[in-house]
Amino acid sequence: MVGLIGAALQVTVFAAGLLSAACADAFNSSVNGFKEVAASSVDGGQPTTSSPSLRGSPLLTLGNQSEIRWLSADADRCQSSEQPLDSKCTGCPPMYNGKLCATTTWYEDQTKGSCGCGETPMVPDDYWTLTSFTAALNTVSMDPQDPALTYCLSGCGSCYEICTTGGVINSQDTITSNSQCEVFKITNRCADGWQNGTPDWCSHHMSWQECQANPEKCRKKGNTNMYGYSAHFDLQDAHRQVQHTLGWMNPEVTFEPVSCDKWKGPPSATCPGCDWKR
């Protein structure tokens, strides 16, 4: 009987050893697998669009030390439903080189817009709002006192200098080098997601001015846009002045209000639909 018990114990120990070795091999295989995924999912240390779900995963730190830096930086960002692929901006509200950061997109709109920039509802194809550097600004930043206003908002006609950071928001295929600057005139309003509270490009509940004054409140999810930025600029690109002339495709940017004397558009440009408010 004792011999049988001893033999049984030896078999049990031997089986446990096999199981332990198998678990170790499986773990090592998993680690190596995640390293391979991480290696195939980066381009110069950055995630590619083919694997956005890997963004922010702690597993990527097994094979890519740069991800550790991203995770650390993300912890200090404004709360948001999405994270930019490779932001150069830090903090909340996000900043770069001492300036506030924003997201950008491009659009085409031949109407006179929310600022009444045109004599008719549809403007000619060669009208200055379509050929110059103009933009729509997120509605809360455009009129903090009355963001629900759809026409003649207080921010109509203001100008901003926008400069690329070299950061990528949601497309690895469109990296733009940093420090490319252009002045844009605000001629329209962007309210995507704002009214129904859905996270979107322009769903902010705080203006960039309010975020700058109260960073702690700005940090709460929903007070910035879906990527955690305090402002969004939708750039008019009816004549491909953004994509082709500037070579921009939704880059991360810094921004600051400037005099419209720096804007390259026609000095005589006016918005007759809203000039009565000035």
Side-chain angles (χ1 to χ4, degrees), residues 133 176 180-182 184 240-248:
F133 291 117
T176 305
Q180 296 182 28
C181 300
E182 190 59 62
F184 286 79
R240 296 297 181 265
Q241 61 267 46
V242 174
Q243 294 181 70
H244 294 174
T245 303
L246 295 180
W248 294 6

Side-chain angles (χ1 to χ4, degrees), residues 67 74 86 102 121 134 156 180 192 209 220 238 245-246 256 263:
E67 186 69 13
D74 286 351
D86 181 22
T134 62
C156 284
Q180 296 182 28
D192 296 353
Q209 300 94 327
K220 183 180 177 182
T245 303
L246 295 180
E256 60 179 335
W263 180 58

Side-chain angles (χ1 to χ4, degrees), residues 3 15 29 38 54 78 87 92 94 101 105 108 125-126 146 149 153 162 165 168-169 175 192 195 230 243 255 262 264:
S29 177
L54 293 176
C78 306
S87 174
C92 180
C101 295
T105 48
E108 298 176 24
D125 186 60
D126 61 351
D146 194 1
L149 196 63
L153 293 81
I162 297 175
T165 66
V168 176
I169 303 299
I175 297 176
D192 296 353
Q195 193 160 8
S230 62
Q243 294 181 70
F255 69 95
K262 296 184 177 181
K264 296 176 182 176

Side-chain angles (χ1 to χ4, degrees), residues 30-42 45 57-68 70:
S30 297
V31 169
N32 290 333
F34 279 119
K35 284 183 178 179
E36 291 172 5
V37 170
S40 65
S41 301
V42 296
S57 169
L59 293 171
L60 285 180
T61 62
L62 293 171
N64 192 332
Q65 292 300 313
S66 64
E67 186 69 13
I68 296 176
W70 293 333

Side-chain angles (χ1 to χ4, degrees), residues 58-183:
L59 293 171
L60 285 180
T61 62
L62 293 171
N64 192 332
Q65 292 300 313
S66 64
E67 186 69 13
I68 296 176
R69 294 193 296 272
W70 293 333
L71 291 170
S72 175
D74 286 351
D76 192 44
R77 293 183 67 90
C78 306
Q79 296 176 13
S80 58
S81 59
E82 304 287 342
Q83 292 292 321
L85 284 180
D86 181 22
S87 174
K88 305 303 181 184
C89 307
T90 58
C92 180
M95 299 186 73
Y96 179 74
N97 287 344
K99 296 180 180 180
L100 290 169
C101 295
T103 49
T104 64
T105 48
W106 60 268
Y107 78 116
E108 298 176 24
D109 181 5
Q110 203 167 336
T111 70
K112 61 182 179 179
S114 296
C115 295
C117 301
E119 300 288 348
T120 56
M122 299 294 291
V123 299
D125 186 60
D126 61 351
Y127 201 65
W128 65 268
T129 56
L130 306 182
T131 59
S132 303
F133 291 117
T134 62
L137 179 61
N138 66 289
T139 189
V140 175
S141 291
M142 195 167 173
D143 198 326
Q145 301 303 315
D146 194 1
L149 196 63
T150 59
Y151 198 62
C152 297
L153 293 81
S154 62
C156 284
S158 57
C159 291
Y160 289 82
E161 183 176 57
I162 297 175
C163 300
T164 57
T165 66
V168 176
I169 303 299
N170 67 344
S171 176
Q172 185 65 19
D173 298 330
T174 56
I175 297 176
T176 305
S177 59
N178 67 351
S179 301
Q180 296 182 28
C181 300
E182 190 59 62
V183 174

Side-chain angles (χ1 to χ4, degrees), residues 254-273:
T254 61
F255 69 95
E256 60 179 335
V258 296
S259 167
C260 286
D261 291 341
K262 296 184 177 181
W263 180 58
K264 296 176 182 176
S268 59
T270 61
C271 295

